[in-house]
Amino acid sequence: MNTGTAVRNINVSQSIAESLRLEMERDSRVLVLGEDVGLQGGVFGSTRGLQKAFGRDRVRDTPISEMAFTGMAVGLAMEGYRPVVEIMFVDFVGVCLEQVYNAAAKIRYMTGGRVAMPMVIKTAGGCIGSAAQHSQCLWGTFAHLPGLKVVAPSSPYDSKGLMAAAVESDDPVVFIEHKGLLLQKAGSFAHGAEVPRERYTVPLGQAAVVRPGTDLTLVTLSATVGESLAAAGELAAEGVDVEVVDLRSVVPLDLDTVAASVARTGRLLVVDEDYLGFGLSGEVVTGVIERLGPQALRQVARHGTPDVPVPAAITLEQAVVPRRASIGQAVRAMGAAS
Amino acid sequence: MDGPTLVERYFAMVRMRRFEEACLAGVPTREIHGELHIGIGQEAVAAAMIGTLRDDDALVSTHRNHLHALAKGVPAQPMLAEIYERATGLCGGFGGHMHLFDLERRFSTTGIVGSTLPVALGHAYAARIEGRDSVAVGVTGDGGANTGGFHESLNMAGAWRLPLVVLIENNEWAISVPFEESTATPTLAERAAAYGAWGRRVDGLDVEAVAEAFGEAVAHARAGHGPAVLEATCYRFRGHYEGDLDLYRPAGEKDRRRQEQDPLSLTRERILARGAATGAELDAGEEEAAAAIAAMLAAVRADPMPDPATARDHVFAGAAAQKGLI
Ligand SMILES: Cc1ncc(C[n+]2csc(CCOP(=O)(O)OP(=O)(O)O)c2C)c(N)n1
């Protein structure tokens, strides 16, 4: 990814704010609604400056009334607007889930394709030592519900480009930022650190090989991409050459890129910060087997957060959430050196 | 009922303040993780509940819950240990500072705004069907009063005359959004009429006024007259959470409010003006409270962290992990 251009050392939330600003300049139908998105510019700063630039009608602080303002976005979308709704943390979506999976996700289908639903539910997920009700990823939950696109970027570059694509999409997109990445500066990323000033999109549903390797395909997304790259660096010194694939979106799921990689390496490890059961990891493994046949895989493994609420104490959290060290262990356990 | 004296309430407030300062000490040292919400400046509202609430009454609190727990009689040391993520904590370190639970005292919390009242409603219904004269208090901020859960719960409590007491701490802000920009009416207490509830607004810096009003609200609900809504006005002295830059409020205004409207100093002045205690007596009591909390903090810091091997316990009743469920 390094093309020699100087890195603009903005953080991830700034790259998202910049993306939203460019979308709002392009299209006056784009609106931003949510708690603390206006005056404060978001608790992480990912809507900073927008209210000043576009006024209160287009960037609106709402009461703590998620059911009302998420449903409001559905109505606005039916009026031809392109609302971006911020649910501060993905953990809070329960109070408005009805509007998400019965309204936003289903209206296009129920109308026989007559009604578009160009809304973005922008939210922050992931684990940052915040215990059971503030540390969830939940992308698997949304992915299970037909009609929603689900995006979870891992880098500043992708955050900007995927947000542009999400706003441009005529379908509802659940855009899950990672709480642990939002305030991280571009310069500290090993991948996707350069964020051009001008508008660009990163297409939804296209995975990226962020580290080529020959011994094992490690598939992941969001903040665990960085953790996996760090683990891969250590493993390289031990003679294990790991290919890291960043899915970038869960729906659509780019199984072609994953399968092409596994066809070369013969080993698949899925690393997922979301709950392990009935989720992304099972989907990826099954999808690859369906494409390549079981004989194409010498080894398969999953490493995710077990089906346990994320505990408060940091010693307990470290025991359940995949991070660099545990990812390294998971690869070593596969004995992947060729 | 003879409640605590003003001096006793004052010392309760002092202990609350020292307790939360002890929590603050764990943030820069990274002993406490996540968004810690502190209620400094709001002690009078919590301290006003002491003496009215019994162990068999339920109290369901919010993300800003430490003061309410202390007021409900939840023991301070295991609370502090939970906040410091220790194995000796109220919930063994599994819950954390935003999620304190004490079954014996019917105290619980949630980190999800607006989710307190529905749970309180369950406690209220249990009291009703068991023929107990207990009440259930659901606490919310002014921001939380704008959630669907607030309306649904109060409507049900009103329709079924359940002993639900809704205590609204109106500290003027929901993170960066001011009360008057997010609420349709000048007060929240006036909504009570819509639910057939008792309703009142009170100065939440005046511990005696809140105690009197809270006593009335609880008496109303206890007597079977249905729900009550008590709105206590106050002000959040610190950022929304520790680490919040708090740039949405003018610094000068914040300083002035802290200077002139600290419920602790207001109460202390009142005690001195009435001659209910001398300055020396108050000083001595304050020192004692500070020393007790300092000793508690030192003890908690020496406590062990939870054993990582236990991280999968408690998801289900019994030995689910051994049965291969997790
Ligand atoms: C359903 C839900 N939405 C948003 C949040 C994020 N959040 C936590 S506290 C808070 C503000 C609450 O304001 P208020 O109820 O007035 O209580 P205060 O913080 O002022 O004590 C918000 C928006 C949440 N925890 N749950």
Side-chain angles (χ1 to χ4, degrees):
Chain A
M1 194 65 73
N2 198 334
T3 57
T5 351
V7 165
R8 277 202 297 150
N9 209 13
I10 63 176
N11 64 33
V12 171
S13 72
Q14 287 169 310
S15 79
I16 292 170
E18 185 169 273
S19 183
L20 289 170
R21 183 163 50 73
L22 292 169
E23 294 315 299
M24 294 184 80
E25 278 169 5
R26 271 179 87 233
D27 186 344
S28 63
R29 295 169 304 167
V30 178
L31 308 174
V32 177
L33 299 169
E35 292 148 21
D36 306 283
V37 298
L39 182 66
Q40 193 184 7
V43 291
F44 292 103
S46 60
T47 54
R48 195 157 292 158
L50 299 180
Q51 189 177 65
K52 220 173 191 169
F54 302 104
R56 276 178 39 131
D57 281 352
R58 288 185 69 193
V59 182
R60 182 117 208 171
D61 280 328
T62 62
I64 308 173
S65 305
E66 285 90 354
M67 197 200 306
F69 69 75
T70 305
M72 196 173 149
V74 171
L76 282 163
M78 291 167 86
E79 288 278 347
Y81 290 90
R82 309 185 78 84
V84 177
V85 171
E86 178 168 295
I87 307 289
M88 195 180 293
F89 280 19
V90 73
D91 313 75
F92 311 153
V93 83
V95 295
C96 60
L97 194 53
E98 198 287 313
Q99 298 295 333
V100 178
Y101 78 89
N102 274 329
K106 288 184 180 150
I107 285 180
R108 169 185 292 278
Y109 191 80
M110 292 191 298
T111 57
R114 285 192 181 84
V115 175
M117 194 48 61
M119 63 184 273
V120 179
I121 297 169
K122 166 187 177 310
T123 184
C127 196
I128 48 163
S130 292
Q133 296 180 337
H134 285 70
S135 287
Q136 301 173 92
C137 296
L138 297 184
W139 41 69
T141 303
F142 296 108
H144 185 67
L145 306 166
L148 296 170
K149 291 183 177 169
V150 184
V151 176
S154 68
S155 72
Y157 178 87
D158 281 0
S159 294
K160 179 171 172 181
L162 286 166
M163 179 54 87
V167 175
E168 197 180 61
S169 164
D170 280 335
D171 295 311
V173 179
V174 181
F175 190 96
I176 307 177
E177 301 148 357
H178 196 286
K179 295 160 201 165
L181 297 185
L182 279 164
L183 298 179
Q184 209 170 300
K185 295 271 192 191
S188 68
F189 280 81
H191 69 299
E194 285 152 31
V195 183
R197 279 176 205 282
E198 60 277 10
R199 176 180 195 268
Y200 61 93
T201 58
V202 171
L204 306 180
Q206 225 172 67
V209 176
V210 286
R211 184 191 193 281
T214 52
D215 296 333
L216 177 142
T217 301
L218 191 165
V219 176
T220 188
L221 80 174
S222 191
T224 38
V225 172
E227 300 282 331
S228 298
L229 287 171
E234 287 168 13
L235 290 157
E238 298 167 24
V240 184
D241 190 14
V242 174
E243 177 147 308
V244 178
V245 178
D246 176 3
L247 289 171
R248 302 202 282 204
S249 71
V250 183
V251 181
L253 185 60
D254 182 3
L255 284 169
D256 291 344
T257 297
V258 176
S261 170
V262 176
R264 276 184 277 109
T265 64
R267 291 190 179 91
L268 171 62
L269 170 67
V270 187
V271 179
D272 189 5
E273 192 181 335
D274 198 1
Y275 305 124
L276 196 63
F278 309 91
L280 174 64
S281 56
E283 199 61 40
V284 171
V285 169
T286 314
V288 168
I289 291 173
E290 284 168 348
R291 273 175 172 64
L292 300 180
Q295 70 290 345
L297 278 95
R298 280 188 283 164
Q299 270 175 318
V300 185
R302 300 192 281 163
H303 176 44
T305 297
D307 295 330
V308 165
V310 178
I314 205 75
T315 50
L316 297 174
E317 183 194 289
Q318 284 161 354
V320 295
V321 179
R323 291 288 182 243
R324 172 186 184 152
S326 68
I327 294 167
Q329 275 166 22
V331 174
R332 285 183 199 102
M334 293 174 78
S338 52
Chain B
M1 189 195 322
D2 284 339
T5 64
L6 183 61
V7 175
E8 284 163 350
R9 281 205 207 279
Y10 174 66
F11 283 129
M13 289 161 69
V14 170
R15 283 191 297 274
M16 288 173 177
R17 176 80 47 102
R18 298 291 97 84
F19 181 91
E20 288 214 299
E21 286 164 356
C23 298
L24 292 179
V27 178
T29 58
R30 302 190 56 77
E31 291 162 282
I32 299 176
H33 301 84
E35 307 75 23
L36 182 72
H37 306 93
I38 290 294
I40 287 179
Q42 305 183 188
E43 292 89 348
V45 184
M49 290 192 274
I50 301 171
T52 294
L53 281 192
R54 313 186 307 222
D55 274 2
D56 61 306
D57 294 326
L59 178 55
V60 185
S61 178
T62 65
H63 56 286
R64 204 178 299 287
N65 57 40
H66 308 155
L67 308 180
H68 308 136
L70 292 170
K72 190 68 173 72
V74 177
Q77 186 154 336
M79 251 180 82
L80 193 64
E82 185 66 28
I83 295 165
Y84 272 79
E85 304 177 8
R86 304 291 154 152
T88 49
L90 268 183
C91 306
F94 285 81
H97 52 76
M98 222 191 307
H99 317 105
L100 304 177
F101 294 83
D102 183 342
L103 194 65
E104 287 100 274
R105 289 165 196 84
R106 286 187 164 89
F107 179 82
S108 70
T109 59
T110 175
I112 307 302
V113 172
S115 293
T116 53
L117 270 52
V119 175
L121 194 65
H123 287 285
Y125 191 54
R128 154 67 64 82
I129 59 185
E130 289 164 22
R132 287 189 276 117
D133 73 340
S134 327
V135 302
V137 181
V139 185
T140 174
D142 47 294
N146 293 324
T147 62
F150 178 93
H151 165 72
E152 294 184 18
S153 307
L154 262 166
N155 180 58
M156 282 173 71
W160 299 355
R161 318 287 323 140
L162 296 182
L164 175 71
V165 176
V166 175
L167 175 62
I168 306 170
E169 286 183 305
N170 185 347
N171 64 14
E172 300 182 22
W173 292 87
I175 311 189
S176 73
V177 182
F179 169 67
E180 64 276 5
E181 273 185 34
S182 53
T183 309
T185 49
T187 76
L188 290 163
E190 68 198 83
R191 292 188 190 173
Y195 306 111
W198 176 103
R200 190 156 143 200
R201 189 182 227 219
V202 67
D203 174 3
L205 303 176
D206 181 338
V207 69
E208 288 179 306
V210 186
E212 189 263 326
F214 185 70
E216 236 183 79
V218 168
H220 175 90
R222 222 189 269 302
H225 300 316
V229 179
L230 179 62
E231 175 184 10
T233 55
C234 50
Y235 191 71
R236 165 159 64 70
F237 277 18
R238 300 184 62 83
H240 171 67
Y241 68 99
E242 292 310 309
D244 177 8
L245 294 177
D246 199 356
L247 301 174
Y248 42 84
R249 299 189 294 182
E253 144 109 356
K254 235 177 347 193
D255 289 344
R256 183 182 63 75
R257 304 276 293 251
R258 284 197 198 113
Q259 285 271 311
E260 295 171 9
Q261 293 181 303
D262 184 336
L264 264 68
S265 17
L266 294 174
T267 308
R268 194 185 149 106
E269 280 160 29
R270 184 177 289 181
I271 290 170
L272 293 175
R274 269 191 214 159
T278 66
E281 283 164 349
L282 295 181
D283 290 347
E286 284 167 24
E287 275 165 37
E288 202 182 302
I293 298 284
M296 192 185 292
L297 178 57
V300 161
R301 280 180 155 156
D303 283 345
M305 294 299 289
D307 177 356
T310 65
R312 297 175 188 213
D313 294 357
H314 315 306
V315 180
F316 294 112
Q322 278 127 52
K323 289 188 206 125
L325 284 176
I326 306 162

